[in-house]
Amino acid sequence: MTSDSWSTRFTAQVVRSMRQARMDARLTMPAVAERCAQRGLPEITDQTIKNLESGRRTSITLTDFLALADSLGVPPVALLFPLGTAETVEVLPDREVSTWDALAWFTGETPIAEPAPPGSPRDVLDTFREHGDLVAAARASAALATDRRRAANTTPAPDRRAALLELATGYEEYAEADRKELASFRTRMRERGLVPPALPDGLTAVDQTEDTTP
């Protein structure tokens, strides 16, 4: 089996996923082409898309693929590896694996028996995923604290208000601990020479906490 035939098959699989995404979004080919033009790629015309979907065109550039994925509103990786609709995928010539294993391999999540070597690409990916988890936890605890405090301030019943204030205080302590943990993690990232992602609204003060954290 030649690599050319694998390339054609893999492209065809990606295009099928793109066509399904277009149909699900109820977008015409001209509409998708217009979206591509808005993203700076006017050379992707409705004829280009028609040639791809009909099989007359058997290859696609990386730039065209990314523009089409964004125009369709679908994560590019979901078009490469149709999780949930295909049991297996041929990731390389004569190398067919489960779709989940293929996606995990592509994103650096392939299960391994030992931790990733420090400084390896897998280790860097794991670090940024952990940072994302810490950001999500900090946002969630902050939202819970704010909601309980707001509820307490708008509740006329004294007993209920006291209970809500106690809950709010507890959640605020959790939120503060989460912010400190995130600040410390960002410090360790910088010490490794990594640039942490920008913080979302509501957590920008974490970097100030980082500056004052012992």
Side-chain angles (χ1 to χ4, degrees):
M1 186 178 300
T2 67
S3 59
D4 286 345
S5 60
W6 167 76
S7 175
T8 299
R9 288 195 306 277
F10 192 84
T11 301
Q13 167 208 297
V14 171
V15 170
R16 284 194 298 272
S17 296
M18 292 172 60
R19 182 180 183 278
Q20 187 60 54
R22 181 178 67 79
M23 300 294 288
D24 290 344
R26 299 184 179 181
L27 290 169
T28 64
M29 293 182 190
V32 176
E34 183 178 354
R35 290 187 175 192
C36 289
Q38 293 170 351
R39 287 157 175 76
L41 281 88
E43 61 271 24
I44 303 179
T45 65
D46 56 334
Q47 188 61 46
T48 303
I49 299 168
K50 185 175 182 179
N51 287 340
L52 281 168
E53 291 192 3
S54 67
R56 286 194 294 271
R57 179 173 170 177
T58 59
S59 64
I60 183 172
T61 66
L62 180 58
T63 51
D64 286 1
F65 169 70
L66 293 176
L68 283 164
D70 190 61
S71 298
L72 293 167
V74 179
V77 71
L79 296 175
L80 291 173
F81 308 110
L83 193 65
T85 60
E87 184 176 351
T88 62
V89 64
E90 190 179 6
V91 293
L92 290 170
D94 296 324
R95 183 180 172 187
E96 191 160 350
V97 299
S98 77
T99 307
W100 169 246
D101 286 343
L103 189 150
W105 163 74
F106 188 83
T107 59
E109 297 178 86
T110 306
I112 53 176
E114 300 295 331
S120 66
R122 168 67 191 278
D123 178 51
V124 173
L125 285 169
D126 288 346
T127 298
F128 276 82
R129 290 192 185 97
E130 187 173 353
H131 179 274
D133 290 341
L134 291 173
V135 168
R139 295 183 74 178
S141 58
L144 284 169
T146 299
D147 288 345
R148 296 305 184 276
R149 180 69 62 178
R150 183 184 298 114
N153 291 335
T154 57
T155 299
D159 291 346
R160 175 63 175 162
R161 184 172 187 275
L164 287 171
L165 284 173
E166 184 177 354
L167 281 174
T169 299
Y171 280 122
E172 285 164 356
E173 291 174 356
Y174 281 123
E176 180 62 20
D178 286 342
R179 286 192 293 269
K180 287 183 177 179
E181 185 177 3
L182 176 58
S184 177
F185 192 84
R186 289 171 69 83
T187 295
R188 294 196 298 274
M189 289 180 72
R190 289 192 172 100
E191 289 172 349
R192 292 176 54 189
L194 302 175
V195 179
L199 291 166
D201 292 343
L203 289 179
T204 53
V206 161
D207 279 337
Q208 297 173 6
T209 302
E210 178 182 357
D211 293 336
T212 58
T213 299

